Each structure stands twice: as C-alpha cells, then as structure tokens.
Amino acid sequence: PATVKNPPPPIHRKRLVYSCGKRGWAEMASLLQAFADHTGGFEDVGEDELPTLERILLADDLFLMALLSGKKEVPEEFAGGSVMDRLMSFSKTWRAGGGG
C-alpha cells in the first residue's frame, strides 16, 4: 500500500491528536489530550510547528515529564517555535487546576 510521507495538515493534526491518547502513562495521555482540546485539535498550531509538535509527541513519557516539570532543559529540537512553550505553560495551569 502507498504511504503518504507528508499528509495534508488536517490529516496530520488528526493523527497527532490520536497519538496523544496512546501514551504509556495515563497522566501524560490526559495532559496531552487536554492540550489538544485546548488548541482546538491543534488547529491553532501553525503548519510550520507541526513537525516540532510531532517530535514532542514521539518523546518518551518520562523524558517529557522531566521537561514539563523543569527537571531537564528543553532540547533544541523542541525549542523551534512556540509549541513547546505553550505546552509547558498549559501543563503548569492544568496541574494547578487539578488536571493531573
């Protein structure tokens, strides 16, 4: 079967939203799903930031949790654009509001 290497943005966003729930840690899945909802299914994430978002979502849960809690420095590959900053900011308010 033919594989689409660079799917159109609506399909790409749907795949990214779907991947949010496929995590090893339920807490990380809940956080990422809430972030996806907060961003309208990633509709307000620019097309140029989708590759960065995808790299973030491919990260291991333990590593991602360390980044979001400030225990590890954000690697340069995640620092492009604002999506990681937005996720970190959302994570703080989400946890403070009892989300996690």
Side-chain angles (χ1 to χ4, degrees), residues 76-89:
E76 195 168 309
E77 68 180 293
F78 293 175
S82 66
V83 71
M84 187 66 194
D85 291 338
R86 291 173 62 194
L87 177 57
M88 291 180 80
S89 176

Side-chain angles (χ1 to χ4, degrees), residues 1 4-5 7 13 30 32-33 40 51 59 65 87 89 91 97:
V4 179
K5 289 197 180 218
R13 284 184 173 86
S30 295
L32 293 174
Q33 287 173 323
M65 188 61 74
L87 177 57
S89 176
S91 172

